[in-house]
Amino acid sequence: MRVYVITAVVALVACVVSTAYSQAPPIDIGAILPLTGDGGSYGPGMQLAMQVAVDEVNKAGGPQFRLRVEDDATTPDQGVRAAHKLIDVNHVKAIVGTWASSVTLAVAPLTQAADIVEMNVSGSPKLSTLQPVGQRTVFRVNATDEALAAAVAQTLYRQGFKTVTILSNNAAGTIGLGENFKDSFTKNGGTVLSMIVYPDKQSSYTSEVGKALATKPDLYLLSCYTPDGILVVKEAYQGHATAKFAMPAWCLNDDLIKGVGANVADGDIAFDLVAVSTSKAYKRLNAAYNAKTGKDAFDNVYAVHVYDAIHLLALAFQKAGTTKSLVVGKALIQVSNPPGQEITSFAEGLPLLRQGKSVHYVGASGPIEFNAQGDMAPNVGIFKVENGKMVLKTGSQ
């Protein structure tokens, strides 16, 4: 008889817990995304991936999330307006998704003042110095420009490129990458013939391109966004450039290839972080993403990163037992880093956390391991344009 009583009590408790979660108001999560502007080719996919993750979190039976989405138009001013609305009107408990470094740097002080966590996919090294070690509330599910540049510089030098000329947009999200590439390429033994910085959103870059062509490098490193990248590559082609370009994949993408022509872009190199397409989390995300878009999530690594961010955030809220930023920040490091049982979703981690066990999230973008600065290590892919298509040459798949 005692066994039946215990079973009945356990069932009753489970029912009560489930009912309590279903009756509790949802936790509002803010999404600030580049739905338009320079990052507009990535924002809609990021929104879709975040909603997929939110739906998975909500099906797990724990606290329920509700996504509140705002467009930052890839500009800091619009990002700040979006943050004020989400914080002051919607009372969100976290903000996820800022893409451009300039937007993240503008939004971060607002999330800090509001005592909520901010999770982004920006690369600026400045983000690593915003807060003291042990007091992180701003986390990037991406790599720093410094880490990305170091990996790319080493790979390109080993591929035989010994001299480069760098052209860099002077925006916060691009100039840092150019400067870090210069330092890393030189350390690897390469020679940077010139670094040319140009202003954003100009109608022509003829003067800067002319200076670059005169240096005659083995390769041009172009740290850009797609609109200015199209102009630079076109003008270099018209100026009879003899070397190809290497660019971050947020610049060299299908839109740039279409904008300059496949014959012009063929042979150019793109680099970025890449998803781990063999991972359980990626396969789960990609099935939903492909069903809605007809495309693979692998083509939008930022969508993969924010998908992981939502699962990590849910795990951290569960671990922390609060949405207060400093406590959640410490919990984010605990649920992402070893030791702990490997999990690929909030649903897998929830029962373990309820039992007081440690977990280690391995996501669609690979193992997520934050350091004391709230940064993670890069999983870099090198692509080459062949017949108008981006072909992965090195990196995890």
Side-chain angles (χ1 to χ4, degrees), residues 227-251:
D228 53 283
I230 289 173
L231 291 175
V232 170
V233 173
K234 274 186 175 181
E235 291 170 357
Y237 178 76
Q238 292 163 358
H240 306 290
T242 56
K244 301 304 292 184
F245 284 89
M247 292 170 262
W250 64 74
C251 177

Side-chain angles (χ1 to χ4, degrees), residues 98-158:
T98 48
W99 180 79
S101 293
S102 58
V103 174
T104 301
L105 288 166
V107 166
L110 303 179
T111 61
Q112 290 172 277
D115 195 16
I116 61 175
V117 164
E118 203 277 349
M119 301 182 74
N120 61 81
V121 294
S122 303
S124 173
K126 293 180 181 178
L127 291 170
S128 302
T129 62
L130 289 180
Q131 298 164 296
V133 172
Q135 299 181 38
R136 305 301 300 182
T137 66
V138 177
F139 289 79
R140 70 175 106 219
V141 280
N142 196 341
T144 65
D145 287 339
E146 184 176 6
L148 176 61
V152 172
Q154 183 180 65
T155 298
L156 292 178
Y157 182 78
R158 287 177 176 174

Side-chain angles (χ1 to χ4, degrees), residues 38 101 123 145-146 148-149 152 165-182 194-201 205 220-230 232-233 245-252 256 269 271:
D38 289 345
S101 293
D145 287 339
E146 184 176 6
L148 176 61
V152 172
T165 289
I166 300 170
L167 291 109
S168 177
N169 186 312
N170 68 356
T174 48
I175 192 168
L177 177 65
E179 291 171 344
N180 285 308
F181 182 89
K182 178 182 178 181
S194 181
M195 181 167 176
I196 301 166
V197 178
Y198 60 82
D200 192 20
K201 302 184 187 305
Y205 296 102
Y220 297 103
L221 189 287
L222 177 56
S223 185
C224 56
Y225 292 120
T226 302
D228 53 283
I230 289 173
V232 170
V233 173
F245 284 89
M247 292 170 262
W250 64 74
C251 177
L252 176 47
L256 185 140
I269 297 167
F271 53 86

